[in-house]
Amino acid sequence: MKQPKVTVVDVAHAAGVSKSTVSLVLQGSSLVNEATRARVGAVIRELGYVYNRGAANLRQSKSKIVGIVVNDLTNSFFAELAVGMDMVVQSAGYIQFMANTSENADRQGEVIASMREHGMAGLILSPARGTTAADLRPLVDSGIPVVLVARNVPGLKVSSVVSDGHAGAAAAVRHLIELGHRRIAFLGGFNDTAVFDERMRGFRDALLEAGLDASDELVISSAPSRAGGVAAVERMLAMRDRPTAALCFNDAVAFGACDGLRSARIEPGVDFGVIGFDDVIEAKTAVPALTTVSVDPQGMGRRAAQLLLKQINAGDFDAEAMVAAVRLVVRESCGAPQRVRELTA
Amino acid sequence: MKQPKVTVVDVAHAAGVSKSTVSLVLQGSSLVNEATRARVGAVIRELGYVYNRGAANLRQSKSKIVGIVVNDLTNSFFAELAVGMDMVVQSAGYIQFMANTSENADRQGEVIASMREHGMAGLILSPARGTTAADLRPLVDSGIPVVLVARNVPGLKVSSVVSDGHAGAAAAVRHLIELGHRRIAFLGGFNDTAVFDERMRGFRDALLEAGLDASDELVISSAPSRAGGVAAVERMLAMRDRPTAALCFNDAVAFGACDGLRSARIEPGVDFGVIGFDDVIEAKTAVPALTTVSVDPQGMGRRAAQLLLKQINAGDFDAEAMVAAVRLVVRESCGAPQRVRELTA
DNA sequence: CTCGTAATTTAGATCGTTCCAAATTTCAAG
DNA sequence: CTTGAAATTTGGAACGATCTAAATTACGAG
């Protein structure tokens, strides 16, 4: 079982040439004679030679490895993101270290350090909650290209690809207003994150633009989860002047909000308008089907990977911020006339 | 920006010792004097030295890298699987190459070859459909530990971690029988896969054990997707002696089956019993909530990773087959008295 | 034949680490 | 002071590739 590992020298010896020639063949150089190339190729296959990229990198010091670090792979939004990256990384002939941090910034620091030691050429990071600029500064300063995706880290001069949370939230709110709602809440999400901030500002701007109330009490933050949605909706229902609709931080919160409404005997989509954010897979099949802001995570992942590869290949580069467009997918939970709009979107 | 990369020699020079001593410090050897260790450590931090694991591996020829190759990361079942592996791999101080194959065996071959060139110490593979023993033979023969997970590849002597499809299917069928069903179908899945075969046999054995009809016409294969479920249920409804319940190949098929039943004005969970397989996240929140066989993919991932690491550390090892237990989660789609059983499971 | 140029091939240094064998330092006992 | 064992430190050869500069071979022209 334990093969004694064949190297270029073995191949060279077996083919009756020098290791330099074998190296040339490996690189597909045009310098080598056709007959020689064929002979060496045959020997390579015969001996079952496996190229040692580590040894090569040592000399060349530029690897074909990128790092992908994601905060939560069990969330289908981020899984799609990762798959999008995977596609372009693979077809560019690179391979990726990929790690999940479970929103743990310490763990994130460890895996990034480990990837660095292993010689990654660049990193795509969907940062864990609580990631600070200081955490990433050493990496960025070392000159390794870094692309942040989905979430930004304030105070850091690196490239990023994020969705247009402001526009998405505003579009959602405008739609609710159009449906006749006049008092609208924003539910869920931790209010210390950049993503929350952006979506919430979109929410507020759209209200102000329509001359409606946008006071702070309408913004109820909570964990960005189903449970958080339940909690937030409870607090909302306790208000004296109750809203008639809500934009939720993400789809998980929206589902939780629906749960909470039902246990108060309020039917989401009929008695109360609910809109989510992200358009996760379940949004389409839930009851009622969730109106939500669709983000195309796979496309975002692809774009982030393309940006990273571009920066790796360019010796020098500047930080570049990309904002991915979003679109409102109208289904049933907002109480709109059924499905009419989704078809035209 | 472009740091001129500091090496052990630089550190050695700055600390006034030899590179051998620095190496010793790096490895935490007890041979080195406490004062020296401290001084070197300080210099390392000061210069921002980054360990080059590639160079080290070259000399030691044993890396801290494992490969994880998954057939479909957008499927939450496999995403959970990957997260389980990630957890144990990370805490063992390893780092993983991770790639998605989208059920493409060619792509799978490419990424595995690439990972090999990069020097992975072992591989966990959830094989793409159509993977043959011949595809993996060279890798296995090279002595690199391989663990197959979720799906097996017949004719290959490697370790594997799979769920107990036979027992799960049998338990589901017994439950349906207990509820009074006497004619039960098996819907969906490609009948040329090992997983299909196993679940289908569990289905048939449970029927025979109860003295019920288990003829071939009750097994209707199709794509293992929502669309496949719709198609399968249509064919089932065209039978003269119509079943009153069905076990589905997986949850996606089960959802499709529900869709198909509804468009025939048959209410799943009331007029017809449906059971799925895998217990994906949506199963709990669907309407009706899906009765299904729960597999604990994260636990399976963890076990697979533990097995792989064990084999990597053991110089020599034997192929080991693990079968993960499953449990039936009774919800509403099978028409059972609501929720009673889930609480006791 | 002999030459010069183009086409091939090659020796040997190098990348950043580990590891062996040997050298050096330390220090308590004689 | 010596001395020898224990404690530290170190030079230099690997590891498996690439790369440079130089060596060798081929071949058509004179």
Side-chain angles (χ1 to χ4, degrees):
Chain A
M1 278 290 154
K2 206 110 230 181
Q3 312 285 71
K5 195 184 316 188
V6 7
T7 76
V8 273
V9 180
D10 301 319
V11 173
H13 188 257
V17 296
S18 77
K19 62 178 162 41
S20 304
T21 303
V22 176
S23 175
L24 255 13
V25 171
L26 253 17
Q27 303 171 64
S29 163
S30 63
L31 288 179
V32 18
N33 182 288
E34 210 38 67
T36 315
R37 177 194 307 289
R39 186 152 36 97
V40 171
V43 172
I44 284 180
R45 239 158 301 120
E46 188 187 339
L47 298 188
Y49 166 76
V50 176
Y51 185 75
N52 184 332
R53 226 166 261 277
N57 290 342
L58 185 52
R59 187 71 224 276
Q60 311 182 132
S61 74
K62 49 139 125 155
S63 77
K64 288 283 207 173
I65 306 178
V66 305
I68 294 182
V69 176
V70 173
N71 57 293
D72 181 10
L73 259 191
T74 66
N75 181 324
S76 55
F77 177 83
F78 294 103
E80 295 272 350
L81 203 64
V83 168
M85 299 173 194
D86 179 280
M87 291 171 81
V88 349
V89 168
Q90 264 185 49
S91 27
Y94 278 68
I95 188 97
Q96 70 237 228
F97 285 127
M98 184 148 127
N100 183 240
T101 60
S102 306
E103 300 288 9
N104 181 331
D106 293 336
R107 189 150 231 186
Q108 174 176 285
E110 286 166 20
V111 301
I112 292 177
S114 175
M115 289 178 180
R116 238 184 122 183
E117 293 186 350
H118 279 98
M120 66 174 168
L123 173 71
I124 305 179
L125 173 64
S126 168
R129 226 172 89 68
T131 303
T132 67
D135 293 339
L136 301 177
R137 188 97 55 198
L139 178 64
V140 173
D141 285 348
S142 77
I144 293 178
V146 174
V147 173
L148 296 181
V149 66
R151 302 170 168 182
N152 222 324
V153 173
L156 204 59
K157 194 174 159 294
V158 289
S159 299
S160 60
V161 178
V162 297
S163 59
D164 194 342
H166 187 279
V173 170
R174 277 188 216 107
H175 180 68
L176 288 172
I177 294 173
E178 216 172 279
L179 290 176
H181 294 286
R182 290 292 169 269
R183 192 161 169 78
I184 303 171
F186 184 90
L187 302 182
F190 289 123
N191 59 13
D192 59 352
T193 67
V195 176
F196 177 94
D197 211 53
E198 206 193 333
R199 294 181 183 178
M200 194 270 285
R201 279 213 310 277
F203 160 81
R204 194 150 54 192
D205 289 350
L207 287 179
L208 294 175
E209 165 193 299
L212 297 176
D213 179 18
S215 56
D216 284 350
E217 63 168 355
L218 288 169
V219 176
I220 304 179
S221 80
S222 74
S225 61
R226 193 151 185 153
V230 175
V233 93
E234 272 167 11
R235 282 179 23 227
M236 182 198 74
L237 292 175
M239 291 170 64
R240 337 143 240 100
D241 191 2
R242 228 188 236 180
T244 63
L247 169 62
C248 299
F249 174 72
N250 65 16
D251 288 348
V253 169
F255 290 133
C258 290
D259 292 344
L261 289 168
R262 285 219 184 84
S263 47
R265 307 249 154 255
I266 300 174
E267 189 54 29
V270 180
D271 313 319
F272 191 94
V274 174
I275 296 188
F277 214 111
D278 287 352
D279 196 16
V280 300
I281 303 174
E282 303 93 308
K284 196 184 307 190
T285 56
V287 176
L290 194 65
T291 292
T292 186
V293 179
S294 179
V295 169
D296 183 20
Q298 203 164 307
M300 258 174 69
R302 273 196 301 266
R303 260 187 305 245
Q306 281 154 354
L307 179 55
L308 184 77
L309 292 176
K310 194 181 83 181
Q311 298 195 343
I312 288 176
N313 293 329
D316 206 19
F317 59 89
D318 283 321
E320 203 167 316
M322 299 186 52
V323 175
V326 300
R327 71 193 171 83
L328 182 66
V329 177
V330 177
R331 298 205 179 94
E332 298 161 359
S333 66
C334 53
Q338 291 206 185
R339 299 185 183 257
V340 180
R341 278 158 200 277
E342 183 167 8
L343 297 173
T344 66
Chain B
M1 280 287 156
K2 205 110 229 181
Q3 312 284 72
K5 194 181 322 185
V6 9
T7 76
V8 273
V9 180
D10 302 319
V11 173
H13 188 256
V17 296
S18 76
K19 62 177 163 42
S20 304
T21 304
V22 177
S23 175
L24 256 12
V25 171
L26 252 17
Q27 301 170 65
S29 163
S30 62
L31 289 178
V32 20
N33 183 287
E34 210 39 66
T36 314
R37 176 194 309 288
R39 185 152 35 95
V40 172
V43 172
I44 283 180
R45 239 159 299 120
E46 188 188 338
L47 298 189
Y49 166 76
V50 176
Y51 184 73
N52 183 333
R53 225 165 262 277
N57 290 343
L58 184 53
R59 188 72 228 272
Q60 310 183 131
S61 73
K62 46 136 124 167
S63 77
K64 287 285 208 172
I65 306 177
V66 305
I68 294 182
V69 176
V70 174
N71 55 294
D72 182 10
L73 258 191
T74 66
N75 180 324
S76 56
F77 177 82
F78 294 103
E80 296 271 349
L81 202 63
V83 168
M85 299 172 194
D86 180 280
M87 291 170 80
V88 347
V89 168
Q90 264 185 50
S91 26
Y94 278 68
I95 188 96
Q96 69 237 230
F97 285 128
M98 184 146 125
N100 184 240
T101 59
S102 306
E103 300 287 9
N104 181 332
D106 292 336
R107 188 150 230 185
Q108 174 177 285
E110 286 165 21
V111 301
I112 292 178
S114 175
M115 289 179 180
R116 242 185 118 181
E117 293 186 349
H118 280 97
M120 66 174 168
L123 172 71
I124 305 180
L125 173 64
S126 169
R129 225 171 90 68
T131 302
T132 66
D135 293 339
L136 301 176
R137 188 99 53 196
L139 177 64
V140 172
D141 285 349
S142 78
I144 294 177
V146 174
V147 173
L148 296 181
V149 66
R151 303 170 168 182
N152 222 322
V153 173
L156 205 61
K157 195 174 159 294
V158 290
S159 299
S160 60
V161 178
V162 296
S163 59
D164 194 344
H166 187 279
V173 170
R174 276 188 216 108
H175 180 67
L176 288 173
I177 294 174
E178 216 171 279
L179 292 176
H181 295 286
R182 288 292 169 268
R183 193 160 169 80
I184 305 171
F186 184 89
L187 301 182
F190 288 124
N191 60 14
D192 58 352
T193 67
V195 177
F196 177 93
D197 210 54
E198 205 193 335
R199 294 181 184 179
M200 193 270 285
R201 280 213 310 277
F203 160 81
R204 193 150 57 191
D205 289 351
L207 287 180
L208 294 175
E209 164 192 300
L212 296 176
D213 179 18
S215 56
D216 286 349
E217 62 167 359
L218 287 169
V219 177
I220 303 178
S221 80
S222 74
S225 61
R226 193 150 184 152
V230 175
V233 94
E234 272 166 12
R235 287 188 10 234
M236 182 198 74
L237 291 175
M239 292 170 63
R240 348 148 231 99
D241 191 3
R242 231 189 233 178
T244 63
L247 170 61
C248 299
F249 173 72
N250 65 16
D251 288 348
V253 170
F255 290 134
C258 290
D259 293 344
L261 288 168
R262 283 217 185 85
S263 47
R265 306 249 154 258
I266 300 174
E267 189 55 28
V270 179
D271 313 319
F272 191 94
V274 174
I275 296 187
F277 215 111
D278 286 352
D279 196 16
V280 299
I281 302 173
E282 303 94 308
K284 196 183 306 188
T285 56
V287 176
L290 193 65
T291 292
T292 186
V293 178
S294 179
V295 168
D296 183 19
Q298 202 163 310
M300 258 174 69
R302 272 196 302 266
R303 261 189 303 245
Q306 281 154 354
L307 179 55
L308 184 77
L309 292 175
K310 193 181 85 181
Q311 299 195 341
I312 288 176
N313 293 329
D316 206 19
F317 59 88
D318 284 320
E320 202 166 317
M322 299 186 52
V323 176
V326 300
R327 72 194 171 82
L328 182 67
V329 177
V330 178
R331 298 204 179 92
E332 298 161 359
S333 67
C334 54
Q338 293 206 184
R339 299 187 183 257
V340 181
R341 278 157 199 275
E342 184 168 6
L343 298 173
T344 67

